[in-house]
Amino acid sequence: MEVIRVEGGHPLGGEVMVEGAKNSALKLMAATLMAPGVSTLTNVPDIADVHVMGKVLTYMGASIEVLGKHELRIDTSDVTRWEAPYHLVAQMRASTAVLGPLLSRFGKAIVAMPGGCNIGARKIDMHILGLEALGVSFGIDHGNIYATTPQGLTGATVTLDFASVGATENLMMASVHARGVTTIDNAAREPEIVDLANLLNEMGAKVRGAGSPVIEIEGVGALHPVEHRVVGDRIEAGTFLAMGALVGGPITIRGFKPIHLGLVLKKYELMGLSIDRQDDGCVVSRTRPIHSVDIQTLPFPGFPTDMQAQTMCLLAQGDDSCVITENVFENRFMFASELSRMGANVRIEGHHAIVHGVPRFSGAEVKSPDLRGGAALVMAGLVADGYTTVSDIYHIDRGYEGFVGKLQSLGAHVERLTVPDVEDEA
């Protein structure tokens, strides 16, 4: 069993470069299915979820060549399968990302129900309802989603109940080849949506309004392969930003656009942090106690749910009490019980967490509950008394490239170890 072991109490400083966005790279890889031929993606993070998506595309018949550490050449010319099997997609939450591209290219798809972090139900019903409006027929059997387009795809107006990123992306990709114009109302506005729209337009699609609540897609004929650079990972940047804030910094984070973390930066400044925004990143430092502020997660441009655990870790050492409201994933507070093992004072009431600041954390053995929660537990260990050992770190590997190495480069006393599994010892 691999663990991350952290010795607390050491200062952090220096510069760290973030990778391409996980939540964009996975969808861009899926989108290459729509343009038969060789597409090249650069700034692709070397993480577990990308490896899994690569296996999904390879299973369908694509060939993938790794050019350098962060560049993928994907040839989708010979894709003949339209099935994404359970043994692959169960490993990541982004499995439904291939649904729209397969429907667009083949008019049919078989996709296993999604897996990945256990942080809440996948709102797959929004994908289904939206795609049904375009003429897709669905059946769900033995854990698989069966989708067909008996009359082809036809443009329509789809209003989403919730600004779902996944549903917006699937509708965008499925409607590229639909007859007429498709309008997505209450569309997700995340930077990753804009990145996908840019890729599709470079391929020859006609997508307008990405980044706003209303997106229009005019159906076109064949798409062509392209070369595209993945947008920087705002959540990885936010994670190192929070770490610098907790320990004091200064830390310079490069490789992302600060505007993509707009509300996070504003909230952190209200917490007493100093943030110097630059063209390709920012510098964070803190010389005052952390001021407690209330947080509520919402779709972009609101406060991202993917920054909730890291921010709870910060606020758990705040100067007062505050409330964190989770509006996106119902199980995201699983992290709180592990942080409490380290001495945090957090009480959960429904989708609210009442956080009372404490002066210090104590090192402990904790278990990573999900991707962001795992990173936040390592973060807590940076300022805890003694040693903190974080297990189930495969969650962290899903979304952070070279996590331990980057922390070491900033001065953290952290290492990745292989230890005997308790069950093996038994």
Side-chain angles (χ1 to χ4, degrees):
M1 179 175 70
E2 285 195 295
V3 300
I4 293 177
R5 188 168 181 255
V6 191
E7 182 182 12
H10 299 279
L12 296 189
E15 182 172 310
V16 63
M17 176 70 70
V18 301
E19 313 300 339
K22 171 183 92 80
N23 290 336
S24 189
L26 298 174
K27 317 305 171 62
L28 299 180
M29 290 175 71
T32 64
L33 290 167
M34 301 168 59
V38 181
S39 287
T40 301
L41 299 178
T42 61
N43 200 34
V44 179
D46 184 9
I47 55 174
D49 270 15
V50 164
H51 300 167
V52 174
M53 182 60 83
K55 290 177 182 177
V56 171
L57 297 183
T58 301
Y59 176 88
M60 293 174 180
S63 62
I64 300 178
E65 184 180 358
V66 180
L67 305 173
K69 193 174 183 184
H70 298 117
E71 187 172 334
L72 297 181
R73 181 178 289 167
I74 305 173
D75 187 349
T76 58
S77 304
D78 298 325
V79 171
T80 55
R81 286 178 168 170
W82 47 87
E83 179 182 358
Y86 177 74
H87 74 276
L88 291 176
V89 300
Q91 300 174 42
M92 65 174 180
R93 295 181 69 82
S95 61
T96 52
V98 297
L99 186 56
L102 290 175
L103 287 168
S104 189
R105 178 163 174 177
F106 297 107
K108 51 189 171 183
I110 303 172
V111 178
M113 295 289 277
C117 285
N118 185 27
I119 55 173
R122 288 280 84 177
K123 298 174 177 65
I124 193 68
D125 56 324
M126 273 192 290
H127 299 244
I128 291 174
L129 287 171
L131 291 168
E132 282 179 338
L134 302 182
V136 182
S137 295
F138 284 95
I140 297 178
D141 191 31
H142 298 291
N144 289 324
I145 303 166
Y146 294 82
T148 57
T149 55
Q151 308 299 321
L153 291 163
T154 303
T157 296
V158 179
T159 302
L160 297 176
D161 288 344
F162 177 83
S164 161
V165 172
T168 300
E169 289 165 336
N170 262 326
L171 285 165
M172 282 171 59
M173 290 188 280
S175 59
V176 163
H177 291 323
R179 294 185 297 273
V181 176
T182 298
T183 302
I184 307 171
D185 196 10
N186 195 27
R189 299 160 62 182
E190 275 73 0
E192 294 79 16
I193 295 284
V194 177
D195 201 22
L196 175 60
N198 288 341
L199 173 81
L200 294 175
N201 285 337
E202 290 161 14
M203 287 177 163
K206 294 183 179 178
V207 181
R208 296 180 293 272
S212 79
V214 180
I215 299 176
E216 283 190 353
I217 306 97
E218 183 180 342
V220 298
L223 301 183
H224 56 81
V226 295
E227 180 174 328
H228 181 87
R229 179 178 174 83
V230 179
V231 69
D233 195 323
R234 62 195 171 100
I235 304 301
E236 184 188 7
T239 301
F240 283 107
L241 185 81
M243 289 179 173
L246 185 65
V247 179
I251 290 178
T252 301
I253 304 107
R254 302 241 180 251
F256 81 106
K257 295 180 179 178
I259 195 172
H260 292 167
L261 278 178
L263 189 55
V264 173
L265 300 186
K266 287 188 173 116
K267 284 287 186 178
Y268 280 14
E269 285 173 330
L270 289 174
M271 292 163 65
L273 315 183
S274 174
I275 298 173
D276 175 20
R277 294 164 177 79
Q278 301 177 356
D279 289 342
D280 67 335
C282 62
V283 182
V284 60
S285 60
R286 178 176 64 85
T287 57
R288 295 178 287 170
I290 297 168
H291 179 59
S292 298
V293 299
D294 293 340
I295 300 286
Q296 64 168 328
T297 66
L298 287 167
F300 190 86
F303 196 95
T305 182
D306 278 353
M307 282 301 301
Q308 185 252 99
Q310 304 91 311
T311 305
M312 181 186 290
C313 184
L314 268 177
L315 293 170
Q317 293 210 330
D319 60 4
D320 203 344
S321 300
C322 61
V323 178
I324 298 176
T325 303
E326 175 56 60
N327 293 310
V328 180
F329 286 121
E330 64 269 23
N331 295 338
R332 199 113 216 194
F333 285 144
M334 292 188 298
F335 161 75
S337 61
E338 294 298 304
L339 190 63
S340 295
R341 285 177 48 78
M342 300 179 68
N345 184 350
V346 182
R347 186 175 79 253
I348 305 300
E349 294 184 0
H351 66 121
H352 304 287
I354 294 85
V355 183
H356 303 279
V358 298
R360 66 182 60 85
F361 296 144
S362 299
E365 292 186 8
V366 290
K367 191 175 288 189
S368 174
D370 55 64
L371 168 55
R372 308 304 173 185
L377 289 170
V378 174
M379 172 180 161
L382 296 172
V383 294
D385 295 334
Y387 289 92
T388 298
T389 302
V390 183
S391 59
D392 283 1
I393 62 172
Y394 62 88
H395 286 300
I396 298 173
D397 292 339
R398 287 185 46 240
Y400 293 94
E401 176 184 328
F403 188 58
V404 168
K406 289 182 180 180
L407 283 172
Q408 290 171 338
S409 74
L410 295 172
H413 288 214
V414 55
E415 56 186 340
R416 186 172 179 133
L417 302 171
T418 301
V419 300
D421 195 306
V422 174
E423 293 181 2
D424 291 344
E425 287 186 327

